[in-house]
Amino acid sequence: MKILFIDDEQKVLDGLKRSLRSKRHEWDMKFESDPTRALEDIGHNDYDFIITDLRMPGLTGAQLLQKVIEVSPHSTRIVLSGDAELDRVAKTVGNAHQFIAKPCELNEIHWAAH
């Protein structure tokens, strides 16, 4: 299973890496802090799951997911965000298969990626 995590906060990505270390032999995971580079990567690689934050500078999570639908429609799209603004979340719901609120339990990510 190939998973791409996208979040502009490196500390969040580092925490995910540590938390998911036990899955490193089962999951092929990549962690990207730049959504534009992530989109380029998605165009060249076949990801089963794309897990992104919503609030990022430049290319937002919602914009990223819209482009992922075009570039990699088979990928499962998951939002992992602490964004509590309902209008922003509502705009993204149609582009995401699932929404997980930060902070979350590790088992929520395990469950979502199965």
Side-chain angles (χ1 to χ4, degrees):
M1 181 169 2
K2 197 167 184 176
I3 305 172
L4 175 62
F5 292 89
I6 308 156
D7 197 306
D8 65 310
E9 293 184 39
Q10 190 61 48
K11 288 181 181 182
V12 171
L13 293 176
D14 292 343
L16 285 168
K17 280 182 196 177
R18 279 191 306 276
S19 297
L20 297 170
R21 186 167 165 74
S22 66
K23 292 289 189 184
R24 70 185 182 279
H25 299 296
E26 298 172 50
W27 297 351
D28 180 5
M29 296 177 280
K30 184 168 183 181
F31 301 85
E32 179 59 64
S33 62
D34 182 326
T36 302
R37 279 198 312 248
L39 186 58
E40 290 173 16
D41 187 33
I42 293 164
H44 298 292
N45 291 289
D46 191 24
Y47 287 99
D48 298 301
F49 293 88
I50 297 171
I51 302 176
T52 186
D53 188 19
L54 283 182
R55 295 181 110 192
M56 297 183 288
L59 187 65
T60 67
Q63 293 166 329
L64 174 73
L65 289 178
Q66 181 60 46
K67 292 178 186 275
V68 168
I69 289 171
E70 300 165 15
V71 175
S72 185
H74 66 280
S75 296
T76 299
R77 300 172 305 277
I78 300 171
V79 171
L80 176 62
S81 182
D83 196 335
E85 292 184 34
L86 291 178
D87 60 331
R88 188 180 353 255
V89 172
K91 289 178 186 175
T92 307
V93 170
N95 295 333
H97 293 103
Q98 186 171 354
F99 182 93
I100 301 172
K102 285 183 196 172
C104 70
E105 295 294 323
L106 184 58
N107 64 353
E108 290 180 71
I109 294 174
H110 285 224
W111 180 84
H114 279 97

